[in-house]
Amino acid sequence: MNFIKVTLTIFAVFINVIAFAQGPPGGQGGRGGGQGGPPKGEKPEASDILKLLDTNNDDKIDKVEAVNDERGKIAKDFDEIDTNEDGFIDLEELETELNREGPRKVLAAKLLKEVDQNEDGLLNELEVAAKDKRDLMDNFNAIDTNDDAQLDLEELKAFYSKDEEIENKKRKKRD
């Protein structure tokens, strides 16, 4: 079930990125001064997206610039795209996002920081439920390998690395 949700989310992001690169209806904007974006079947260029969104010309997209763009999902996925957690999306992060295949890799430390409301470095079931982290809620007892009713960084890393291994095996079988 989680794989299907992730796949649908990725597909929606990809569609929005393509729509973003094409610009508004009528062919104005986008790449090449009114060309309407990349030719069919081609991915948009990260540099073109950056130029469009970077309204203060600092070569990065901040949250305000992302929110002001009504065409894409960059604002929604901002924290996941901003992998170095500096509060900006730079060209490299944007390129990584556009070239990503499959589900986004879950960074256990980033997830822990996001969900850990009392900042004790551990996640309990209440914190997980409050942030509506379904994959953690559904697998809490299996992830909690030391049976202390809390998830620590090592348990999260082990869970997500196992999840990633399964996805890689599925991908290899399809190829």
Side-chain angles (χ1 to χ4, degrees):
M1 182 82 169
N2 288 338
F3 178 73
I4 293 170
K5 287 180 184 177
V6 169
T7 303
L8 290 175
T9 300
I10 291 167
F11 181 73
V13 168
F14 183 71
I15 294 300
N16 280 307
V17 168
I18 288 174
F20 168 82
Q22 291 177 347
Q28 300 301 314
R31 293 175 60 181
Q35 296 296 325
K40 280 191 173 187
E42 286 188 28
K43 291 182 182 180
E45 294 290 329
S47 58
D48 292 338
I49 294 171
L50 182 65
K51 285 177 192 172
L52 287 171
L53 292 181
D54 180 23
T55 56
N56 64 3
N57 298 316
D58 62 355
D59 293 325
K60 51 193 172 187
I61 301 167
D62 61 36
K63 285 189 177 187
V64 172
E65 290 168 327
V67 168
N68 286 333
D69 176 49
E70 297 174 7
R71 296 171 282 193
K73 290 184 138 186
I74 291 178
K76 180 180 178 279
D77 296 330
F78 192 94
D79 291 332
E80 287 79 22
I81 299 170
D82 178 24
T83 54
N84 65 5
E85 299 182 15
D86 66 353
F88 300 97
I89 297 173
D90 59 30
L91 182 59
E92 183 179 328
E93 290 167 324
L94 201 51
E95 287 173 341
T96 299
E97 178 66 16
L98 290 176
N99 294 324
R100 180 178 50 80
E101 292 182 16
R104 213 179 260 118
K105 183 178 178 181
V106 175
L107 301 174
K110 191 171 187 174
L111 177 69
L112 181 63
K113 183 178 177 183
E114 174 191 336
V115 178
D116 185 16
Q117 292 178 330
N118 64 5
E119 299 177 359
D120 65 352
L122 302 167
L123 301 181
N124 60 48
E125 288 186 85
L126 184 59
E127 290 171 318
V128 170
K131 292 289 186 169
D132 198 27
K133 295 296 183 183
R134 298 283 176 169
D135 54 337
L136 296 180
M137 290 171 18
D138 294 343
N139 298 290
F140 194 94
N141 292 330
I143 300 168
D144 182 23
T145 56
N146 63 6
D147 296 321
D148 65 353
Q150 301 183 96
L151 306 179
D152 61 37
L153 181 58
E154 294 308 312
E155 290 170 324
L156 291 170
K157 283 181 180 179
F159 173 70
Y160 284 111
S161 67
K162 185 181 354 171
D163 204 30
E164 190 175 309
E165 288 173 23
I166 292 168
E167 290 303 320
N168 287 337
K169 286 179 184 177
K170 287 180 183 176
R171 222 175 282 124
K172 285 180 184 176
K173 284 182 181 178
R174 283 184 265 149
D175 294 340

